[in-house]
Amino acid sequence: MHLTREEERMLKGEYGEAMRIAMEIVVKVGEVLGADKLVDISHAHASGVSYGTIGEPGLHWLRELSSKGAKARVYSTVNPIGMDLDDPNKIPVGEQFYKKQMEVLQAFKDMGFEISVTCTPYYLRKPKPFERLSWGESSAVAFANSVLGSFTNREGGPLAVASAITGKTYHAGLQVLENRRTTHLIVHPELDDPVEWSALGYLVGEKVGSGIPRYPKPPQDEESMKLMLAASAASGGIALSVLEKVTPRGTYDIGDEERVEIDEKEIEELFRFNDPELIFHGCPHSNLNELKKINEIIKDKVSREFWIATSPKVFDEALREGIIQSLENKGIKVVKGTCSVVTPIERLGYKRIMTTSAKTYFYLNRKGLEVALVRVRDLWRVVT
Amino acid sequence: MESGNLRCGRRLITSETGRGEVVKIEGRISFLGEVNPKEGKLYDGRSIKGKVLIAEGAKGSTVGAYVIYALKYYGNQPLAIIFEEETDPIVVSGCVMAGITHGDMFGKLDLRDGDVVDVWEEDGKLCLGISKTPP
């Protein structure tokens, strides 16, 4: 791999030990993936921020880096944590977990990361087409590549941290235009509700694995796109989907495509009423539109536990517009900076869950919970 | 692999080298879910601490890098991680973080649990040689 003189010096430790460690990670991973060089990035987004996921060793590693003087060189953000950002009692995770989680956040803060605690960093700062990123949250990666036309691989937690510190990533995979070539053509019935799109994404992920699918008739609203892409990134490893007339031209190529058909029956199977103890919305995190819409759909007090997850930024916007108060008056819990995937939800005793997100469906199923999808337009019926 | 024979593969990370006992996994390993870093054991109970861990390759979650690091953190790291086929970025970043010797593309290795091998670096490659002497 070709390294510039400055990059060589970074690797030799001339910019300090933290930079050397970070550079070594980026270079080694790049070598394995056959990168010819490194490229500069404009935004790093780290996953593996929940104490529940990375544990004591992960916390230790972040602290070590931070104590060695690691500082983010580019705009850097972090994924959700395992509890509500402000109120440790909203999701009762226990004192020990709370304490440790705050230590993880402190380590990121010390390294100059913005404590965004969201899986939707594109609502904080929207990257442009062709902009290079190093993002470590699969749903955000899929949104950046597919909707915004930015270039990012699906990075592991530590690599995104290393990219933040070096300001660089390796030039391989989806950083290279030739690799952004479609492999499958998706044919599906007419869909309407955002959650139907989410179900479609889930099925496409299962069938296409880690290919690059093309949707000739993609959803038209951003919320449906977000749900669909998150689901196919979870059930498959899909980091780029081509959405006709949405994905910016020139950021992809059409390749030899295999036709994949999804029928109505397959989609319908994911929707089944299961007498839920908990209903969950906000995976990926809700934007302001979604909060407003749910606030309109649900007119009365809810009679089941209903959680909506969002980022601190959107939470504050909704607070200013009085939406949070209105939702909470109806008994809806709006949680900030966390989600059902990284919360130790199975330890809270819930067994049957309904959700608007097929990504949540995928992960909670794997934790052994009974999960079903519910359409946004049917939410009121389920919660009241 | 016959006694005295040696096989070399691609060297990715060299940290510790030396002599160790083989722990062989049939197929690919997922560090998340199949390795308990606190105990330094595979989920079938075999210890990997100080051993030469051999598998076909890796699979599974991106959190795997943190699990490899956790092995080192708890002092349970293997001497080396050797893959017969190509490795993946998650394992590479984990081994860099933890400073664990790692090589791949060795081809099919006819080794069993309990075989004793030497691990060393030579001409930029990582090499394995069967040894008769206990570690």
Side-chain angles (χ1 to χ4, degrees):
Chain A
M1 190 189 324
H2 172 78
L3 295 181
T4 64
R5 250 189 230 163
E6 196 204 14
E7 287 164 353
E8 292 279 7
R9 285 203 296 269
M10 289 159 91
L11 191 59
K12 276 190 194 136
E14 288 178 26
Y15 290 71
E17 178 62 4
M19 181 65 87
R20 189 197 63 74
I21 294 170
M23 199 60 176
E24 194 181 7
I25 293 178
V26 177
V27 170
K28 288 280 177 187
V29 170
E31 276 175 1
V32 169
L33 295 175
D36 55 342
K37 59 178 179 181
L38 301 182
V39 288
D40 292 336
I41 57 155
S42 54
H43 180 175
H45 180 74
S47 63
V49 182
S50 167
Y51 179 71
T53 333
I54 62 168
E56 202 54 29
L59 169 59
H60 178 83
W61 184 71
L62 293 167
R63 268 214 206 109
E64 278 271 306
L65 267 184
S66 160
S67 70
K68 287 181 171 132
K71 286 278 178 274
R73 273 187 142 194
V74 293
Y75 178 61
S76 299
T77 48
V78 296
N79 235 18
I81 53 174
M83 60 187 200
D84 188 87
L85 182 61
D86 295 338
D87 183 355
N89 298 317
K90 228 174 199 174
I91 301 172
V93 288
E95 214 171 290
Q96 180 68 5
F97 188 99
Y98 175 77
K99 199 178 138 263
K100 291 293 182 181
Q101 182 63 78
M102 292 322 268
E103 287 176 28
V104 172
L105 281 188
Q106 191 59 47
F108 276 111
K109 209 173 190 173
D110 292 344
M111 289 191 281
F113 281 71
E114 183 175 321
I115 303 305
S116 54
V117 284
T118 182
C119 48
T120 56
Y122 43 87
Y123 289 145
L124 295 170
R125 175 191 161 276
K126 205 168 232 178
K128 294 186 180 61
F130 301 100
E131 202 175 310
R132 295 187 189 279
L133 319 166
S134 180
W135 282 12
E137 154 59 37
S138 67
S139 70
V141 166
F143 193 89
N145 282 319
S146 315
V147 179
L148 307 174
S150 314
F151 284 24
T152 175
N153 282 307
R154 197 178 143 101
E155 306 296 10
L159 195 118
V161 173
S163 278
I165 296 164
T166 56
K168 291 172 191 289
T169 191
Y170 51 86
H171 186 246
L174 293 179
Q175 294 289 355
V176 181
L177 182 62
E178 289 75 52
N179 296 332
R180 301 169 67 96
R181 197 182 292 268
T182 58
T183 57
H184 293 77
L185 175 73
I186 310 300
V187 181
H188 58 84
E190 292 262 333
L191 301 174
D192 166 31
D193 194 275
V195 189
E196 292 171 357
W197 288 105
S198 188
L200 175 72
Y202 176 87
L203 295 164
V204 167
E206 277 192 334
K207 293 188 186 191
V208 171
S210 58
I212 301 178
R214 180 165 65 96
Y215 296 81
K217 286 188 202 159
Q220 295 305 303
D221 62 296
E222 196 179 288
E223 291 76 32
S224 298
M225 292 176 202
K226 175 175 78 172
L227 283 170
M228 179 179 90
L229 296 167
S232 62
S235 65
I238 299 179
L240 164 63
S241 300
V242 170
L243 313 184
E244 208 71 61
K245 296 206 171 82
V246 175
T247 311
R249 293 193 48 183
T251 62
Y252 66 90
D253 268 324
I254 307 281
D256 284 334
E257 293 173 343
E258 185 187 322
R259 191 184 155 93
V260 172
E261 249 177 276
I262 311 275
D263 63 36
E264 228 152 296
K265 218 181 114 227
E266 291 171 277
I267 291 173
E268 205 49 49
E269 265 173 31
L270 299 169
F271 294 86
R272 244 175 295 161
F273 184 75
N274 72 356
D275 195 16
E277 296 156 335
L278 173 69
I279 296 112
F280 183 82
H281 174 80
C283 171
H285 276 166
S286 283
N287 62 19
L288 199 56
N289 269 341
E290 289 168 275
L291 292 179
K292 281 183 182 165
K293 195 166 175 198
I294 289 176
N295 193 34
E296 276 165 28
I297 293 171
I298 296 170
K299 299 196 161 53
D300 308 310
K301 226 172 164 57
V302 297
S303 56
R304 292 178 201 258
E305 192 83 352
F306 180 26
W307 297 3
I308 303 178
T310 189
S311 65
K313 179 177 182 253
V314 170
F315 188 96
D316 291 347
E317 284 168 12
L319 199 64
R320 279 197 293 274
E321 297 197 20
I323 298 162
I324 299 291
Q325 299 85 328
S326 170
L327 288 165
E328 288 190 336
N329 284 338
K330 294 172 194 168
I332 299 168
K333 214 181 245 185
V334 186
V335 293
K336 182 183 188 179
T338 185
C339 76
S340 63
V341 174
V342 295
T343 304
I345 203 165
E346 64 286 1
R347 284 199 261 134
L348 302 178
Y350 297 106
K351 289 190 183 67
R352 289 183 312 278
I353 291 164
M354 288 189 89
T355 176
T356 52
S357 161
K359 172 176 176 165
T360 298
Y361 176 95
F362 176 79
Y363 281 106
L364 295 190
N365 234 343
R366 287 188 143 191
K367 286 185 177 180
L369 301 170
E370 194 186 305
V371 202
L373 291 181
V374 54
R375 289 173 175 82
V376 171
R377 64 164 184 263
D378 293 336
L379 267 175
W380 65 273
R381 232 188 308 211
V382 176
V383 298
T384 50
Chain B
M1 213 155 77
E2 292 290 303
S3 170
N5 277 4
L6 76 93
R7 277 276 273 288
C8 300
R10 178 165 68 154
R11 181 197 74 88
L12 293 159
I13 294 115
T14 327
S15 174
E16 269 188 272
T17 52
R19 188 163 293 177
E21 221 178 274
V22 167
V23 174
K24 180 95 182 278
I25 288 167
E26 295 306 326
R28 295 177 176 271
I29 180 168
S30 167
F31 281 89
L32 184 74
E34 292 176 7
V35 176
N36 179 340
K38 259 191 186 159
E39 293 182 1
K41 284 180 179 167
L42 300 173
Y43 270 48
D44 60 17
R46 286 183 287 168
S47 169
I48 57 171
K49 180 177 175 171
K51 307 278 173 75
V52 177
L53 181 63
I54 300 179
E56 196 180 293
K59 61 181 182 189
S61 160
T62 57
V63 183
Y66 281 112
V67 177
I68 294 173
Y69 180 76
L71 281 167
K72 170 79 170 196
Y73 178 80
Y74 292 115
N76 292 327
Q77 74 275 17
L79 171 65
I81 299 175
I82 304 291
F83 287 164
E84 295 174 325
E85 296 174 7
E86 199 171 357
T87 186
D88 83 346
I90 308 302
V91 176
V92 174
S93 48
C95 287
V96 174
M97 285 162 78
I100 295 175
T101 299
H102 179 37
D104 70 347
M105 317 236 271
F106 276 73
K108 193 85 197 132
L109 291 169
D110 186 19
L111 289 165
R112 262 174 246 108
D113 276 25
D115 284 346
V116 176
V117 291
D118 287 311
V119 183
W120 72 94
E121 191 187 329
E122 193 176 298
D123 298 334
K125 289 189 159 287
L126 195 67
C127 298
L128 280 183
I130 201 158
S131 164
K132 290 263 172 183
T133 338

